[in-house]
Amino acid sequence: MNEQQLHKRLEELRRQIEYHNYQYHVLDQPIVSDYEYDQFMLELRQIEENHPEWITPDSPSQRAGAPVAEKFEKVQHPAPILSLGNAFDADGVRAWLERIAKVDERALDADFVIEPKLDGLSVVLHYQDGIFVQGATRGDGEVGEVITDNLRTIKALPLRIPMTNDRRPTTDSAPSSVLCSPSTLIVRGEAFIRLPDFEELNAELAAAGKKTYVNPRNTAAGALRNLDPAVTASRPLTLLIYQIVDWQDSLTPGPSPSGSGESGLRTKPSNQSETIAYLRALGFPVPESTHCRTIEETIAIHGEWQEKRAALDYEIDGMVIKINNHQLFNDLGVVGKDPRGAVAFKFPAQEVTTQLLDIGVNVGRTGVLTPYAILEPVEVGGVVVKQATLHNFDFIFEKDIRIGDRVRIKRAGDVIPYVIGPIEAARQGKEQPYTPPETCPDCNQPVKRIEGEVAWYCVNAACPAQLIRNVEHFVSRGAMDIVGMGIKIVEQLVTEGLIGDVADLYTLEQEALLALEGFAEKKADNLLEAIATSKGQPLSRLLTALGIRGVGEVVAADLAAHYGSLDTLSQSTPEGLQTIAGIGPNIAQALVDWFERPANHTVLEKLRAANVWPVEQLSAVSSLQSDLPLAGLTFVVTGTLTGFTRANIKAFIQTHGGKVTGSVSKKTNYLIAGENAGSKLTKAQELGVPILSEIDLRQLAGES
Ligand code: IVH
């Protein structure tokens, strides 16, 4: 490829990647596998590495990896970023309408739009000629903080607009879309974390012995205002955009009062329902919004959302009712910071109080002990709650939670209910301070605290509770996905001693299963078949399944794409691992430690023997890549090795770009010689081929 073609390829890759981001993060309809996506990203990064002068801020490679900021700059918003007045019931909403109709009687005939009120952080995004150039927090509504690099890490945020279905990359490079972004577009939306993502994040933190977060909103706030964009990137933020703050176009004299009419492809929308449609067409993720003719209709829609609130995968604390027509909305003006033309119709809080009967302790798959509250059953949002999480032992002491206390409980959407804190005023003197256990509640072995971590651990590798959690994780949907293997079966297998580690699943036999309660032939066969099917899972899933600290689905996919097999991964060093974006010193160390533990060796060897050993084809790009450390070099290996097996060393050299041949010739660049090397060593010495030890090889490959 000449330079011009390479640049074209770069542009094509950027469009492809952003299109797949859009499919995945905005439409929730991915059309390529994570693996394929990773390959595009890899190729893009490699071109940009060779041509740093081609890197632009709107390249998808620039979403993460911006340097740590010293402080956030301030920016004056182009128009005040307003707040909202509240209404707490239907009469409150009717009263709002009456109030504003006194200011402008057109309000009586107005139509409305009603949208969920997302419980996140308001953000303001600036696009110049269709490119995301700046993002800010709301701040005090007049001046916000510039958090562009942090916002860029949010994959649902389009770096270029329009990004619509019409822009689907084709071989024909002419965009088929007719919709264009105005020269300046400034939009506002809400950044937040979805509940399942929040729970996954907390589960990973808990497994790593770290403090878990109390709620998605604070987590999102902390992530957005972190000075290190790498931290923001590691938090599963998303966003929804619902407002145009500024719209300027050099092609038209100004916003047309008639709204998007026939020539409307570069015209500012004139009401809220068109705004949402327009933002969606540009490629922004938008909230579900409903157009209503009357205020009573909006009240009915609010009722419907209240019903479905608990089933949503994000938190909302009410609905926003907006006067649809922008002209009227603006004419109605503002009281303080609240526009008259909109109102937040809040939901009743999903918070209750009940008595804390006792504190129980769970043992997680990494041995982390987590306390939970055993409660006097209480109804919250239509569900009876008997247990709630207490996060960690420090939380209990910080909040001074005592057994017998009346406590405040919150249940939000699908998240596990959690204890907010005690009601100290309700104490009667009988409440008992809590003492954490000194031994594991399951295996009775002493518990330990690891320095620098908040968690207490059961360090007994043979603890059955840990094994149960481990196997549960191993077979779960995001991991090996062994269909039909629920928690009950896992418990049976462990307590009956049929399995001592996850690899034992692959040597289970029908006869043994039939001895278990509830098993007949059909059930046993189905289970064995599901286990056998899981052998075909890709490496990324096996890596997730192994439950290594810090290695969730995303990290596992990165590792699989980079190393291709457990053989090469198990040989990696902390330094080598950290060359992968998203892997820091902690995860790198956790991986190395995991592979060093003898018990894990045994599991791996058993998995290999059972043929559970996926090997990924590394992309042609990566192995042909000229800037891999061993690219263009040919190696011969001889003698007894200490740190590698033969298969390992070959894979190691290949992953780093080198070639391995069987015999020494003038073309051999290096001979790797172990103990007791024979004729190949002599030949290399004769030909003057440099001789390296295994350690030298690692150094050459940049892995030491
Ligand atoms: S409209 C003039 N729409 O709620 C427009 N706000 O309590 C005023 N919020 O500061 C805001 N979802 O951060 C609007 N669909 C939505 C919203 C929304 C969440 C937030 C916003 C605002 C706060 C007011």
Side-chain angles (χ1 to χ4, degrees), residues 80-86 114-123 138 188-190 217 242-243 272 276 287 317-320 322 329 337-339 342 344 346:
I81 300 303
L82 297 172
S83 185
L84 288 171
N86 292 325
I114 178 163
E115 294 164 6
K117 185 170 179 310
L118 309 151
D119 201 7
L121 289 305
S122 228
V123 292
R138 173 173 185 270
R188 171 189 184 178
E190 206 79 357
R217 191 177 186 281
Y242 51 74
Q243 192 191 344
Q272 179 63 8
I276 294 287
D317 54 356
M319 301 294 288
V320 186
K322 302 176 181 177
F329 182 97
K337 289 190 172 172
D338 305 338
K346 296 299 240 350

Side-chain angles (χ1 to χ4, degrees), residues 48 79 113 185 187 189 274 280 286-287 318 359-360 363 365 430 457 468 478 484 492 501 523 543 572 593 621 624 659:
E48 289 182 346
V113 158
L185 179 69
V187 296
E274 272 173 23
R280 178 188 286 122
V286 292
I359 293 178
V363 186
R365 73 184 146 88
K430 297 179 301 221
Y457 285 89
I468 291 172
Q492 277 179 302
D501 59 39
K523 184 166 169 184
L543 276 170
S572 58
D593 291 348
V621 192
L624 288 178
K659 252 178 40 187

Side-chain angles (χ1 to χ4, degrees), residues 16 24 74 81 193 230 263 274 285 345 349 369 508 518 568 638 663:
Q16 285 273 0
Y24 187 101
K74 298 269 196 294
I81 300 303
I193 296 180
S263 63
E274 272 173 23
F345 185 177
L369 306 184
L508 281 173
T568 34
T638 188
S663 57

